[in-house]
Amino acid sequence: MENTSNNSQEPSIEKAQFDLPIFVSRTLQAGFALLVFGGIFIILIKFNVATDIIAHPIDPMSFLGGAIVLVALTLLGVPLIPAATAGVATWWVIQDLFGKLN
């Protein structure tokens, strides 16, 4: 007789489905963080508070690098404060690297 039972030993692998509300929430969190940090930075530059801290002009590529790190880490589920810290650190490293190259 044939064995008709489905007692297979293979593990079933379920694919994770794309969850739109979580994606939108994390994207909005990253965008809000960029908006807040950008606003603070613009205010510091406008009122000449950060001119002593930043001696050379800001390179847009370093700002973009920090923003990419911030958004990517936020979308991966990293909390906002550590992601922002990593983004600022990336911005600082790239800014310092481009400052030494010029």
Side-chain angles (χ1 to χ4, degrees), residues 36-88:
V36 168
F37 288 121
I40 291 171
F41 190 72
I42 288 171
I43 289 173
L44 290 176
I45 295 294
K46 177 71 176 169
F47 293 111
N48 293 329
V49 176
T51 54
D52 296 335
I53 299 170
I54 302 169
H56 48 284
I58 300 168
D59 187 23
M61 292 304 291
S62 62
F63 185 75
L64 181 66
I68 288 172
V69 168
L70 174 67
V71 170
L73 288 177
T74 306
L75 290 176
L76 288 173
V78 176
L80 194 56
I81 299 299
T85 304
V88 169

Side-chain angles (χ1 to χ4, degrees), residues 6-15:
N6 287 333
N7 291 336
S8 64
Q9 298 297 325
E10 297 178 23
S12 63
I13 299 174
E14 296 180 21
K15 293 184 179 180

Side-chain angles (χ1 to χ4, degrees), residues 1-2 23-24 52 83:
M1 294 197 122
E2 293 181 25
F23 175 76
V24 170
D52 296 335

